Amino acid sequence: MNKLYDLLPELAQLERLIKAGQGRLDVRTVAQVHVAPYCLPLFVLGLGSDDPCAPLVGFFGGVHGLERVGTQVVLTFLHNILNRLQWDRMLEQQLQHVRLVFMPLVNPGGMLQRRRANPAGVDLMRNAPLDATEDVPYLLGGHRIGNWLPWYRGAVSEAMQPEAQALCQVVEEEIAGRRQAIMLDCHSGFGMRDRIWFPLAGSRLPIDSVGEIYTLKTLFDQAYPHHRYVFEPQSHQYLTHGDLWDHLYLRTRNQQPGQLFLPLTLEMGSWTWVRKNPRQLLSRLGAFNPLAPHRQQRVMRTHLAFMEFLTRLACSGDRWLEGEHRSLKHRRDAMDLWYRNGT
């Protein structure tokens, strides 16, 4: 077991947090991944309100095994919350009105093997059973050629991979019956700026909730005017087949049409780390993670404010959505900002 923890320290950190949160966290194992000689658990942790109608915020990481920093950011936020609960009465009161869910290590097998895909060679974020409605970049957008190439979607006749099924099951079970749910999936490996992406990844068409996402962006701009995030649809950068969050968003819209479900992706701009230290490219993990200790520490601090913001926003119930003609106006503003050149 010690050797496993040496190879996968994120699992050791997660288990320490589970132990530290006893009495506050509800913990369950939703699947297990076998990578000989290990059996790796997929943990889901819950915290906060037991009210099945309470708003929900979910935090996910480690969908791609090379992007360890996503898992580390989610674990850092969980560590922050558990330690503050020892003395922070306001946080304790806040959590009476909102439920938090954490799935920090979605792809432990891929992370153990130091590969983007899961142990079966499937890119989990290309694995959902839906195709893009427009042309996608060759290979990058997802393909079915074979698992020896990156971005492999899996065979068309196969069910979703266990890790992808587990993520979808957790989300759908947790959001059932709730009026509001916000998800944040933490990734790295693209661009010079940190980005907050939202669906769709398989189409350039705007989603129904684009006005609410614009409202969220506007409130964050007002609260943190010096932030460096770029808010945009993922389709602004590239299109993909089989995006899990597209799949979940579209299913939720059809099955729970009155629910506000906002899936967001934090895409950390790892090219900045490479630019500052090009030797990182000599490491398998260097293109996706900050390797210098001071940069790791800076990244761990940087995103806490946005994660806390999402928690407080959800805790505010419908208040953040109030305002005469807000929805219509913000949808028009969103269309002007993000879709003025087409849709």
Side-chain angles (χ1 to χ4, degrees):
M1 185 60 74
N2 289 337
K3 182 178 180 181
L4 172 61
Y5 289 157
D6 290 340
L7 296 171
L8 195 54
E10 290 82 3
L11 178 59
Q13 184 182 355
L14 174 54
E15 291 184 350
R16 287 195 298 270
L17 289 172
I18 290 173
K19 184 176 181 180
Q22 286 181 348
R24 292 189 182 275
L25 292 172
D26 58 80
V27 182
R28 65 189 192 275
T29 301
V30 292
Q32 292 183 327
V33 177
H34 296 275
V35 180
Y38 304 112
C39 184
L40 306 173
L42 268 65
F43 287 120
V44 176
L45 289 62
L47 180 68
S49 174
D50 293 327
D51 183 350
C53 297
L56 174 78
V57 186
F59 300 96
F60 298 80
V63 171
H64 293 135
L66 288 175
E67 300 171 15
R68 308 182 86 119
V69 66
T71 291
Q72 293 162 4
V73 164
V74 175
L75 292 175
T76 297
F77 184 55
L78 178 58
H79 178 273
N80 171 275
I81 288 177
L82 292 176
N83 279 273
R84 285 168 54 203
L85 280 172
Q86 299 178 33
W87 56 268
D88 191 338
R89 185 174 299 170
M90 290 184 65
L91 175 60
E92 195 167 54
Q93 293 173 351
Q94 175 184 326
L95 290 178
Q96 295 174 10
H97 304 284
V98 64
R99 176 167 171 79
L100 306 184
V101 172
F102 299 85
M103 197 172 179
L105 190 46
V106 176
N107 183 11
M111 197 169 290
L112 178 66
Q113 296 177 329
R114 294 193 169 199
R115 61 190 301 183
R116 174 185 175 89
N118 75 343
V122 175
D123 187 326
L124 300 178
M125 203 45 71
R126 307 288 189 273
N127 189 225
L130 78 167
D131 295 330
T133 60
E134 304 173 52
D135 291 339
V136 304
Y138 182 63
L139 297 183
L140 171 66
H143 64 87
R144 300 194 189 276
I145 299 171
N147 63 5
W148 62 89
L149 290 172
W151 308 298
Y152 177 59
R153 299 180 61 188
V156 68
S157 59
E158 294 178 345
M160 282 196 295
Q161 293 294 300
E163 301 92 338
Q165 289 189 46
L167 185 152
C168 292
Q169 177 185 336
V170 167
V171 171
E172 293 187 326
E173 289 178 353
E174 289 286 348
I175 68 177
R178 301 182 192 273
R179 293 186 59 194
Q180 293 185 34
I182 304 172
M183 303 290 156
L184 184 68
D185 185 16
C186 298
H187 289 254
S188 64
F190 179 86
M192 303 291 292
R193 294 280 300 274
D194 294 333
R195 299 172 187 274
I196 304 297
W197 281 342
F198 55 88
L200 295 168
S203 169
R204 292 185 175 86
L205 292 174
I207 60 174
D208 296 340
S209 302
V210 70
E212 286 77 11
I213 290 176
Y214 185 87
T215 302
L216 184 154
K217 173 194 179 300
T218 300
L219 294 175
F220 189 70
D221 289 344
Q222 293 169 354
Y224 299 92
H226 305 296
H227 75 80
R228 301 190 69 251
Y229 294 117
V230 176
F231 286 76
E232 63 183 1
Q234 182 178 331
S235 61
H236 274 199
Q237 299 302 328
Y238 56 88
L239 298 174
T240 70
H241 296 300
D243 184 88
L244 293 178
W245 296 110
D246 278 17
H247 172 65
L248 286 163
Y249 178 83
L250 294 171
R251 279 173 60 93
T252 300
R253 185 187 64 177
N254 291 332
Q255 296 175 3
Q256 302 186 61
Q259 181 184 68
L260 179 61
F261 175 51
L262 304 180
L264 308 174
T265 296
L266 166 59
E267 186 73 24
M268 288 172 265
S270 63
W271 297 358
T272 300
W273 310 324
V274 174
R275 183 191 64 181
K276 293 180 178 178
N277 182 14
R279 288 178 297 176
Q280 286 198 188
L281 290 176
L282 300 176
S283 163
R284 187 171 179 82
L285 300 178
F288 303 94
N289 303 277
L291 300 185
H294 70 281
R295 292 197 180 100
Q296 290 177 335
Q297 294 168 6
R298 184 179 301 121
V299 171
M300 294 307 107
R301 296 191 302 266
T302 296
H303 305 293
L304 291 180
F306 184 64
M307 300 167 92
E308 173 69 13
F309 167 80
L310 294 180
T311 302
R312 296 179 70 86
L313 191 73
C315 187
S316 299
D318 293 332
R319 186 172 180 181
W320 71 279
L321 296 172
E322 290 177 352
E324 185 178 3
H325 306 306
R326 181 214 52 78
S327 180
L328 180 59
K329 179 181 184 304
H330 278 194
R331 183 173 178 84
R332 288 198 301 262
D333 291 342
M335 295 295 292
D336 185 57
L337 175 63
W338 290 314
Y339 300 96
R340 63 171 65 97
N341 292 324
T343 56

